[in-house]
Amino acid sequence: MGFDHGRLPPRQRGGRAFGVLDVTEWYGETSGGIRTYLDEKAAYISARDELRHVVVVPGECDAIDERPGVRRYRLQGPRIPRHRPYRFMLATRSLAAIVQHERPDVIEVGSPFLVPWIIAPASRRMGVPVVCFHHTNITGLIDRTLEAAPRLGGLAGRATRAYLRRLNDLAAVTIVASRSARQELEAAGVDRLVEIPLGVDTARFTPALRASASRTRARWGLPASPLAGFLGRFASEKAVSLLLDAWPAVERATGARLVLIGTGPEEARLRAHPYASRTHFLPFQNDRARVAQLLAALDMVVAPSPVETFGLAALEALACGTPVLSADRGGVAEQVRASGAGMCFESGRAESLANRAIDLLSIEPALIGARGRVFAEVHHAWPIVLDRLFAVYRGLRT
């Protein structure tokens, strides 16, 4: 169905349903945590007659699809260079028309660049509060990208912090998913922060899947020996090359092999790495049940990036009873420390990663995996997380 400003479908669930409009550029065919967050929010809303949900994301062409209480608009936009599968949100008139037609109670912006400025005029005109969800550690990415040029990095860092303060002026509230993300924004001068973590489907991601680990490995051609994995986007900020640098020492000491699950702009470079011939590469997985099976089939999940604002794949691994090895900075490190279900290594150091991986592989996964499961159930089941989120939304309208 094409997008036609003059023939918008009627609003769902009537005027008394509390409406949330989510808009982001970070939603694509092979995107991960943000897409999962929005899809889980849609499922939560669809099951509650008092709520309605509108999602606006870029796409290859204009389209509308819907289910009870939930409507998703795709607005045609060009691809963002070197950031497949993401697209620019450039359809300003269409986005304004959707906001005017859907009349949400709250607008949540999930990407930090073009979208907040496109949505701001419509939100001001209609008196609808804007919530910014800080999914990306922008200052961390700048620092990491320009670490070899400290003077340029310092200038870029100051400009980025100034931009974050301007973005803060648009938002009634900025949501962060971890303490480290809060500290990053506080250091930039951002206020009105609320910390709400992401969640996990504890019925789908479960230790019960570990009983079929050998069948899962056989299905994907993975070895029966100790096996660690990374699941996520193959991008420079994910530090997957550091994992490959470290792993020869781990394999020599433990016999453990490595599997990388995903896709992204760094894939060709990773496949050209000297250790790539000993590494198993699996494609991005759209099927969430298959993701759960793979995470449960591993002896350890590795999260090498120090700039994660949360790290959803790590939480899903913990829910499956799989230990996690993390860089010692960022949102994943917080999960590992709080759960007691893994270890942290010194960020950016392959030797430290290798030593901690060897230490963690020496522990029977079940001995610490149960801690990760309890942590996920008690603190991160999606209904618990989304109840907290909607309490924030409703507080903006009182």
Side-chain angles (χ1 to χ4, degrees):
M1 177 179 178
F3 183 75
D4 182 347
H5 295 182
R7 299 183 62 188
L8 288 167
R11 293 201 303 274
Q12 295 195 14
R13 290 187 173 169
R16 287 186 295 176
F18 187 93
V20 177
L21 186 147
D22 274 288
V23 55
T24 183
E25 289 176 314
W26 304 145
Y27 189 102
E29 299 84 357
T30 57
S31 56
I34 297 173
R35 179 172 182 145
T36 299
Y37 162 69
L38 291 177
D39 289 350
E40 290 289 347
K41 187 193 288 188
Y44 175 93
I45 290 172
S46 185
R48 290 161 173 80
D49 289 341
E50 72 278 12
L51 302 175
R52 61 186 177 91
H53 194 203
V54 178
V55 183
V56 187
V57 294
E60 185 177 0
C61 59
D62 292 340
I64 305 173
D65 60 80
E66 52 190 313
R67 57 175 156 159
V70 177
R71 177 174 292 144
R72 182 176 62 184
Y73 294 86
R74 287 191 180 273
L75 303 180
Q76 193 279 327
R79 292 195 182 277
I80 300 175
R82 285 194 53 78
H83 283 81
R84 290 176 64 94
Y86 301 123
R87 295 175 178 271
F88 287 111
M89 178 78 75
L90 300 177
T92 56
R93 288 181 60 246
S94 296
L95 184 53
I98 291 168
V99 174
Q100 177 69 32
H101 173 73
E102 296 288 352
R103 296 190 174 276
D105 294 281
V106 172
I107 297 171
E108 181 175 303
V109 177
S111 50
F113 298 114
L114 291 174
V115 173
W117 309 101
I118 294 173
I119 206 74
S123 69
R124 284 195 298 265
R125 186 168 57 251
M126 297 177 62
V128 179
V130 170
V131 172
C132 286
F133 202 127
H134 183 70
H135 290 289
T136 306
N137 183 339
I138 304 173
T139 55
L141 293 179
I142 293 292
D143 291 344
R144 180 176 172 82
T145 302
L146 299 176
E147 59 188 354
R151 185 175 178 182
L152 182 59
L155 291 171
R158 287 192 292 275
T160 300
R161 289 171 178 84
Y163 177 80
L164 289 170
R165 290 192 294 274
R166 288 192 63 200
L167 196 61
N168 183 52
D169 294 337
L170 301 180
V173 163
T174 295
I175 296 175
V176 293
S178 63
R179 185 175 61 255
S180 60
R182 174 193 282 271
Q183 291 169 344
E184 173 211 346
L185 292 184
E186 286 177 338
V190 175
D191 58 9
R192 302 187 303 281
L193 293 164
V194 176
E195 187 176 330
I196 300 176
L198 297 181
V200 62
D201 182 343
T202 55
R204 173 168 287 164
F205 293 86
T206 169
L209 294 171
R210 298 184 70 80
S212 57
S214 59
R215 291 197 299 274
T216 300
R217 291 193 188 191
R219 187 180 309 127
W220 291 99
L222 299 173
S225 58
L227 183 64
F230 166 87
L231 186 147
R233 189 162 179 265
F234 298 161
S236 59
E237 67 269 17
K238 300 297 184 179
V240 188
S241 59
L242 180 76
L243 177 56
L244 291 173
D245 291 344
W247 213 257
V250 180
E251 185 179 358
R252 285 195 299 271
T254 67
R257 300 292 295 278
L258 186 64
V259 58
L260 306 182
I261 307 166
T263 188
E266 292 287 297
E267 183 168 354
R269 192 166 76 89
L270 295 175
R271 287 182 178 274
H273 190 281
Y275 188 71
S277 62
R278 300 288 298 167
T279 302
H280 297 267
F281 285 82
L282 296 184
F284 172 83
Q285 303 297 313
N286 266 316
D287 187 324
R288 302 294 293 158
R290 198 171 290 164
V291 171
Q293 292 164 1
L294 284 165
L295 290 175
L298 300 175
D299 296 294
M300 177 174 69
V301 163
V302 186
S305 173
V307 296
E308 294 285 0
T309 57
F310 185 75
L312 191 57
L315 176 62
E316 291 168 344
L318 293 174
C320 291
T322 302
V324 173
L325 176 65
S326 168
D328 60 0
R329 301 202 308 269
V332 180
E334 292 177 29
Q335 295 180 49
V336 169
R337 291 171 181 138
S339 66
M343 293 183 181
C344 295
F345 67 90
E346 186 177 343
S347 297
R349 291 196 59 224
E351 181 182 5
S352 178
L353 192 161
N355 289 339
R356 295 292 77 74
I358 293 166
D359 291 342
L360 191 53
L361 286 165
S362 71
I363 304 171
E364 169 58 41
L367 294 178
I368 58 174
R371 301 175 194 163
R373 175 62 185 184
V374 170
F375 172 75
E377 285 183 314
V378 172
H379 300 288
H380 293 281
W382 276 117
I384 295 172
V385 168
L386 291 169
D387 283 348
R388 290 177 58 187
L389 181 66
F390 274 82
V392 171
Y393 290 159
R394 288 192 170 95
L396 296 175
R397 303 299 299 188
T398 56

